[in-house]
Amino acid sequence: VSLPRGRPARRRRLVRAAFVSLLARPLPRTALARCLRPLEARRDEAGVLSFPFVRRRRARRLQILVYHRVNDERDAYWPATPVRDFRAHMEHLASHCAVLPLDAAVTLLAAGELPDNAVCVTFDDGYRDTYLHAWPILARLSLPATVFLATSPLDTGQRLWHDALFSAFRQTEARALDGFGRPAMHLPLRTLDERLAAQERVRAFLWSVGFDERRAWLERLRQALGVDGAAPGARTMLSWDEVRRMQDTGIACGAHTVTHPVLAHMPPDRAAAEIAGSKRALERALGARVQAFAYPGGKPGDFSVETVRLVREAGFSCAVTTLFGSNPPGQDRYSLRRVALADLDASTFALRLDYYRFSA
Ligand SMILES: [Zn+2]
């Protein structure tokens, strides 16, 4: 195939047009082909086949990536992004995307002035490996990011409840968990697969009960599994000093409540205290305004219309969910979608990022 000589932008357009029309032709009866056919007939000012609708849609969307843990521990109970993969993800973003601070990106999105391929990087919960492994990579590539912190571990040094849960399943030598939960579950724990399945069932149950009840059930779980509540090994959550050091190099902090509860399950006054309390604690400790909020869990049942109102009233300018997808212009800034690609190797990451910008 010989390509016509011309300006690079024109050549790129021709290659893209050729690719899309190839995609359309061999599949005359499929829905994809039917969708592409009207687009195929469109030509731009220069008479070249182009797909302005697709191009514009892709360019104007904001993708917000979500990570939790970045380390090489290969922990099956709380999987993390391996450091090598995280480095490859960030190197891809640095060379192919416009990586923006979240607050700036949300402002540009609302104004319809987002640059092409705009991406934000976010971390949830406040794990120490954000500081140990992710931050050096972000700093080397000069990429901004936002870390959403639950403030109770920063103040007390204690783990979040889901970490206590994962730790119990990691440590236990019990062969089964009998009569736990409501209705009572009988879960074998002989193999790793059985333990992971049991952990997921118990996590879903604990997520569904209220805050105080969850604490009681966690204690019962520890007794049933024969493990104590002490956090084993090195500290896993960030300290205030580590957060301040990251903040000095362009890593912003967002709030993620105090104790990581399910906000939709709480009475409004307690939810308000969790939301505003985390903002106050962060602003006092860091001396900077905290603009962004992340709903714990982040799925539709985890936050409600009432929760959104409380977040708005607490003075946040935007909030992120874990609803999957990218954000078109006009997206409600208090229910921003995110894309979880944390478990993908480098090449799959690049493909999916591009694909989801187009499709999700
Ligand atoms: Zn979280």
Side-chain angles (χ1 to χ4, degrees), residues 152 161 206-215 256-278 293-297 300-311:
S152 135
W161 69 265
L206 291 177
W207 192 252
S208 73
V209 300
F211 183 79
D212 299 322
E213 206 183 335
R214 181 182 308 127
R215 190 179 298 190
H256 194 38
T257 71
V258 178
T259 65
H260 208 275
V262 189
L263 291 167
H265 298 174
M266 302 186 101
D269 57 327
R270 286 185 73 175
E274 286 277 350
I275 293 164
S278 60
F293 183 82
Y295 305 101
D302 303 329
F303 65 101
S304 61
V305 176
E306 178 71 8
T307 317
V308 175
R309 186 182 65 78
L310 293 171
V311 168

Side-chain angles (χ1 to χ4, degrees), residues 68 124-127 148 150 160 162 207 256 260 294-297 322 338:
H68 281 86
D124 279 11
D125 296 350
Y127 288 99
F148 287 103
L160 294 171
H162 55 252
W207 192 252
H256 194 38
H260 208 275
Y295 305 101
T322 54
R338 290 194 286 179

Side-chain angles (χ1 to χ4, degrees), residues 182-203:
R182 203 180 44 234
M185 297 181 268
H186 300 278
L187 305 166
L189 302 173
R190 290 160 307 191
T191 63
L192 177 63
D193 282 349
E194 285 179 352
R195 283 163 177 242
L196 294 177
Q199 175 179 281
E200 186 46 36
R201 292 274 306 275
V202 172
R203 194 196 63 79

Side-chain angles (χ1 to χ4, degrees), residues 28-334:
R29 282 188 206 90
T30 65
L32 174 67
R34 270 202 304 281
C35 295
L36 286 174
R37 207 172 294 130
L39 290 173
E40 204 184 6
R42 300 187 70 152
R43 290 169 187 276
D44 70 5
E45 9 4 87
V48 175
L49 273 177
S50 79
F51 304 91
F53 170 67
V54 174
R55 193 171 59 223
R56 239 178 275 138
R57 231 174 73 135
R58 285 168 62 100
R60 284 184 187 168
R61 290 186 157 214
L62 173 63
Q63 284 180 301
I64 306 173
L65 294 170
V66 54
Y67 293 90
H68 281 86
R69 308 199 62 184
V70 177
N71 64 52
D72 290 328
E73 289 166 21
R74 294 170 179 275
D75 177 12
Y77 295 90
W78 196 180
T81 308
V83 179
R84 213 179 97 180
D85 287 347
F86 182 77
R87 187 183 303 119
H89 293 186
M90 294 305 116
E91 283 170 352
H92 175 81
L93 295 184
S95 53
H96 292 85
C97 300
V99 184
L100 301 170
L102 182 62
D103 51 349
V106 172
T107 306
L108 291 169
L109 179 70
E113 291 169 2
L114 211 59
D116 283 3
N117 301 321
V119 172
C120 296
V121 179
T122 66
F123 299 86
D124 279 11
D125 296 350
Y127 288 99
R128 189 171 181 228
D129 51 36
T130 309
Y131 171 78
L132 293 176
H133 304 306
W135 179 49
I137 293 167
L138 294 165
R140 181 171 61 78
L141 297 168
S142 302
L143 297 179
T146 300
V147 184
F148 287 103
L149 296 157
T151 52
S152 135
L154 285 155
D155 284 330
T156 64
Q158 284 180 0
R159 295 169 297 175
L160 294 171
W161 69 265
H162 55 252
D163 285 306
L165 167 74
F166 302 150
S167 172
F169 277 95
R170 199 182 292 121
Q171 283 174 272
T172 186
E173 289 171 9
R175 307 280 290 165
L177 178 61
D178 273 319
F180 183 82
R182 203 180 44 234
M185 297 181 268
H186 300 278
L187 305 166
L189 302 173
R190 290 160 307 191
T191 63
L192 177 63
D193 282 349
E194 285 179 352
R195 283 163 177 242
L196 294 177
Q199 175 179 281
E200 186 46 36
R201 292 274 306 275
V202 172
R203 194 196 63 79
F205 167 67
L206 291 177
W207 192 252
S208 73
V209 300
F211 183 79
D212 299 322
E213 206 183 335
R214 181 182 308 127
R215 190 179 298 190
W217 276 109
L218 256 178
E219 192 44 52
R220 250 183 270 177
L221 177 73
R222 279 196 280 257
Q223 281 167 19
L225 293 180
V227 298
D228 63 24
R235 174 167 58 86
T236 54
M237 305 310 283
L238 286 164
S239 72
W240 283 119
D241 266 351
E242 289 160 349
V243 174
R244 283 189 204 101
R245 252 171 267 165
M246 291 196 288
Q247 190 194 15
D248 289 342
T249 64
I251 306 297
C253 290
H256 194 38
T257 71
V258 178
T259 65
H260 208 275
V262 189
L263 291 167
H265 298 174
M266 302 186 101
D269 57 327
R270 286 185 73 175
E274 286 277 350
I275 293 164
S278 60
K279 188 176 202 286
R280 251 196 325 274
L282 287 169
E283 290 182 342
R284 200 171 40 225
L286 304 174
R289 244 197 105 203
V290 171
Q291 314 254 30
F293 183 82
Y295 305 101
K299 296 275 187 304
D302 303 329
F303 65 101
S304 61
V305 176
E306 178 71 8
T307 317
V308 175
R309 186 182 65 78
L310 293 171
V311 168
R312 205 186 287 256
E313 279 177 13
F316 291 101
S317 63
C318 63
V320 296
T321 67
T322 54
L323 291 167
F324 191 91
S326 49
N327 300 284
Q331 174 77 26
D332 173 13
R333 55 166 66 210
Y334 291 95

Side-chain angles (χ1 to χ4, degrees), residues 14-24:
L14 281 167
V15 170
R16 189 174 55 223
F19 175 74
V20 179
S21 59
L22 265 178
L23 200 68

